Structure formats: C-alpha cells, structure tokens
Amino acid sequence: MTDPRLDAAPGLFARTLAGMARRALRVEGRLPGREGLRRILVVRTDDRVGNALLTIPLGLALRESVPGAQVDLLLAARRAHLAEGLGLGIVPFEKTDAFRHPLRFFRFLRALRGRYDAVVDAAHWHAFSLTSALLSRWAARAWVVGSHRGPDRIYSAAVELPPADASEVEAKLLLLRGLGLPVPPSAPLRTRAGEHLSQWAAGVLGGEAAILNPGARKSDHRWPPDRFASLARALHAERGLRSLVTFGPGEEDLARAVAEAAGPSAFLAPPTDLPHLAALLRRAALAVLNDTGPMHLAAACGAPTLAVLHGPEGARFAHRGPLFAALVRPEVPQALAAALRLLDTAQTAREPPRTSEERA
C-alpha cells in the first residue's frame, strides 16, 4: 500500500533513466565497514535555504559516527556557504552549468565519478528527485543510500520512511541506517553564516530588539501583516522591546507596511543577504517568522524562535529545544504568550548559576 504522505510517483521518463543509471553505473554493492568509509558524500541539490540547513545535521552526525572519514556535502552553489566552517567538506553544485557551461559541468562530473565510498541521497523523503539520485549513484564507488520512494533500485539500500511525528531533521538522520550506523534522537541546526558581521548587526539593532520577518516564498504561508504589527506593539508594551522588520527579495513593501502599522514599536531593516540576516538573528532577543527559509536560519543561529506555521502539516519543519516554539496561525495573544515564554527561557539560560549563599 502506498504511503499517502508521498508525492505522486515519478513518471516513465524518470523511472526509465533511473533504471538505465542503475545498470550503467556499477557500484560494488558491498557496504564498507567503518574503517572502509574513508570518504562519504551527502547530496542535497535543492536550492532553498531551509533544505540546505536541514541537511547539515546529517553531515555532522556522519562525521561524529565515523570520525576518521572525510564527510562532504554537495549543496546548491549559492547555499554552500551555509555549511562552511563546520568541519565538513563542501561540493558546490550548479545545475544550470549543464546547459550554460557544459564544459565546466563535464569537468565537475568527471571529478565526482566514483570518488566516494558511500553516498547518501538526502533529497526529500516524500518526493523522488531524479537529479539527486543520479548524482548520488554517479559519485558512489561502493554503496548508495536513499529513502524508500520512487525507483528504489538505484540505491544499494533504501531506508524506510520516517514515522508521522518525526521532524524533518529526524527524518534525515534515519538515513544513517542505510550505512549501518546508529541514529541519534535529534540534532540541532548549525551554521556559522554571518559570524563575521556581528558589529554591523549590533549597529543596526541599536540594542536589544526582536526580529519580525513577515515574508515567505509562498503567500499562503504568511501570517497576516496586521498580526505582525500587533505583536510588535504588544512586545513593546509588555517588555519595552522594539522590533526590527526584515525582508527578502520583493518583500520590502510588505515589511514597510508592518513597520508603519506598528508605529514606534518597530523599525525597518536595511536590505540584507543571508549572511547579514544571519548576523542580525544571532543578536536578536527573539525572532518571529513564517514557515520559510529564514525560520530555519534563525534556529541555526541560536535565536529564540517563534515559527508561525500555515497548517498542522508544517509541524514536521519545526525544531526541538527550549528556544523554539511553533504555532499554527495563532491569534496575537497566543503568539505573545509564546514569545514571552521564549524571552524568559533565553534570559534564564543567560543568567550565571547562583551560589549556595545567593540561594540562601
């Protein structure tokens, strides 16, 4: 019986090409022991910010499980910087090179062929990606791992789908089973993006401030802007906390409308790229964001994060931990209560332990 969580099965062309690749691109079909896993590649070709960030914990878990191995991440070229500085190798992938710069793409493929003892296809567990599967098979010398969906025979091991209550990070970690490695219960997001821009961020924030990010790639994932403005006013009234309203490409008018509706409780951010947004999030007292890439960036930067989900199905993109909360299209009082709890939790975490004399 087909799992109803899966997207539609790939078409005849994808299935045929996957079958041809399985026959043409031979792998040893033998899982190396830990001592034989000298080079491991995790493949995630998706260009979206959140999907790159959600793959990093898998790479870090592999590095911890096989400390003698070189673990590389193949990421979309313009998202590769999100994984820099974490002890993982980075393989930037530019899909458009296949038709814009074919010679460069050929050199990339030639360098990748059979280079890794094991390759993990970390594309969506609910949707087969032909590009990701082909690259994974191409790069593998001995073993290929993927999720149990689509033309699974392209993999040496196809891992069963995650349970219904698994987060996206936890679902990725289950792929470790395909290498015979233990699966940690969870893992935090991490990135070092924006660390070098701390002084700039301090100047923009001008002191303690919350960050509100009302935009999202999908318009139906956006909490109404008037609620963002109302929340900004409530945070200012309750804690004297002003809010910086950030925005992505094409979202400046939306952010400006929120800032203007909030009055003196909020102010508009300058245009930011991802490293600059990350720098602001690192210094934020609180971040309130829709279910979108910057929400994952906030969690990866350690900001107390309130995620506003568009529906219950978005819960799998939530994160574990005391500094993260997720609500489905809340009313403002509900969002305010969650925000205040996050602020209090963060404050407690920053306070030094009390001595026995102080406790007395």
Side-chain angles (χ1 to χ4, degrees):
M1 181 177 177
T2 303
D3 192 314
R5 297 175 297 165
L6 294 177
D7 287 3
L12 178 62
F13 174 77
R15 297 197 307 272
T16 301
L17 202 55
M20 291 171 61
R22 181 179 62 83
R23 291 187 292 273
L25 302 176
R26 297 289 184 180
V27 296
E28 292 178 8
R30 176 184 57 83
L31 175 60
R34 291 198 191 196
E35 67 284 351
L37 288 172
R38 295 178 298 272
R39 299 183 67 88
I40 305 172
L41 179 68
V42 177
V43 175
R44 182 65 168 181
T45 61
D46 193 292
D47 190 47
R48 283 172 285 186
V49 173
N51 288 333
L53 288 167
L54 289 166
T55 306
I56 291 173
L58 173 59
L60 294 176
L62 278 165
R63 191 187 64 182
E64 187 169 331
S65 293
V66 194
Q70 169 64 41
V71 179
D72 294 347
L73 297 184
L74 186 152
L75 298 173
R78 68 186 188 125
R79 306 304 180 201
H81 67 94
L82 294 170
E84 290 176 351
L86 296 176
L88 300 169
I90 308 297
V91 181
F93 173 66
E94 185 57 75
K95 188 174 183 178
T96 60
D97 277 356
F99 52 89
R100 288 184 178 177
H101 304 284
L103 181 58
R104 185 164 67 191
F105 192 68
F106 171 76
R107 289 171 179 162
F108 167 82
L109 290 178
R110 185 174 63 182
L112 196 65
R113 177 70 180 110
R115 183 179 176 186
Y116 293 90
D117 301 304
V119 181
V120 180
D121 177 1
H124 281 309
W125 58 262
H126 58 84
F128 181 76
S129 167
L130 181 62
T131 298
S132 190
L134 292 177
L135 281 173
S136 297
R137 184 87 183 190
W138 177 267
R141 179 186 61 80
W143 199 253
V144 195
V145 175
S147 294
H148 184 54
R149 53 35 181 157
D152 295 339
R153 293 180 67 188
I154 197 170
Y155 305 123
S156 309
V159 176
E160 291 301 319
L161 300 182
D165 60 348
S167 70
E168 197 66 14
V169 168
E170 291 161 354
K172 287 282 179 287
L173 294 176
L174 292 177
L175 291 168
L176 292 168
R177 292 176 176 171
L179 296 173
L181 298 173
V183 179
S186 189
L189 290 193
R190 289 182 59 192
T191 184
R192 299 193 64 179
E195 285 186 341
H196 62 295
L197 296 165
S198 180
Q199 276 192 305
W200 171 85
V204 172
L205 290 168
E208 190 175 47
I211 287 180
L212 308 184
N213 192 89
R217 184 175 60 89
K218 298 179 180 179
S219 58
D220 64 344
H221 283 214
R222 294 175 181 173
W223 200 38
D226 63 303
R227 295 190 183 183
F228 273 103
S230 295
L231 180 60
R233 292 193 297 270
L235 287 170
H236 191 250
E238 288 281 340
R239 298 291 173 91
L241 191 67
R242 295 185 71 207
S243 296
L244 177 70
V245 186
T246 57
F247 56 91
E251 297 173 345
E252 183 172 357
D253 289 345
L254 172 64
R256 189 180 301 278
V258 171
E260 290 176 353
S265 303
F267 57 111
L268 189 67
T272 56
D273 56 13
L274 282 178
H276 285 83
L277 178 58
L280 291 171
L281 290 166
R282 290 184 187 285
R283 299 187 69 95
L286 171 75
V288 184
L289 316 93
N290 293 308
D291 178 9
T292 187
M295 178 267 282
H296 300 295
L297 185 63
C301 290
T305 303
L306 174 57
V308 181
L309 307 180
H310 66 288
E313 65 275 14
R316 68 186 177 93
F317 292 105
H319 301 287
R320 312 293 187 190
L323 294 181
F324 189 94
L327 298 172
V328 177
R329 291 202 170 274
E331 298 295 328
V332 173
Q334 184 186 8
L336 176 62
L340 295 178
R341 286 194 295 271
L342 286 168
L343 288 168
D344 291 341
T345 301
Q347 177 61 36
T348 301
R350 288 193 296 266
E351 291 174 353
R354 296 169 65 191
T355 65
S356 56
E357 291 82 2
E358 289 173 327
R359 288 194 296 270

